[in-house]
């Protein structure tokens, strides 16, 4: 692998991480983690949190990001 391809790869991964960070930051401000469908069970001595709806939404967003990155790398 030559340095030009390595540079492209690092820039692409960096861009993807930046995009993921922005999505998570915006998601926290928009209520990601407290969506309807996120199950929160608590008792006096224990608690359980299952972010089902948030994980489905995050999975969809990450799938789109990965597909865009792979499409850009093919070009």
């Amino acid at each position: 692998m030559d340095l030009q391809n390595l540079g492209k790869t690092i820039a692409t991964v960096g861009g993807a991480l930046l995009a993921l960070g922005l999505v998570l930051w915006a998601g926290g401000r928009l209520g990601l983690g407290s969506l309807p469908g996120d199950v929160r069970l608590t008792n006096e001595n224990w608690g359980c949190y299952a972010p089902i709806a948030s994980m489905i939404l995050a999975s969809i967003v990450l799938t789109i990001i990965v597909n865009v990155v792979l499409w850009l790398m093919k070009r």
Side-chain angles (χ1 to χ4, degrees), residues 2 22-23 25 27 33 41 48 51 56 61 65 67 71 73 75:
D2 63 348
L22 290 173
V23 166
W25 175 69
L41 303 171
C48 180
I56 291 172
V61 169
I65 290 171
N67 283 323
W71 179 76
M73 289 181 73
R75 297 180 100 207

Side-chain angles (χ1 to χ4, degrees), residues 27-73:
R29 291 180 152 254
L30 296 174
L32 188 65
S34 60
L35 295 174
D38 292 343
V39 179
R40 189 173 301 213
L41 303 171
T42 58
N43 198 349
E44 293 177 9
N45 299 325
W46 59 272
C48 180
Y49 175 63
I52 297 169
S54 294
M55 288 294 98
I56 291 172
L57 182 63
S59 175
I60 291 168
V61 169
L62 287 174
T63 299
I64 292 169
I65 290 171
V66 168
N67 283 323
V68 167
V69 168
L70 290 175
W71 179 76
L72 288 173
M73 289 181 73

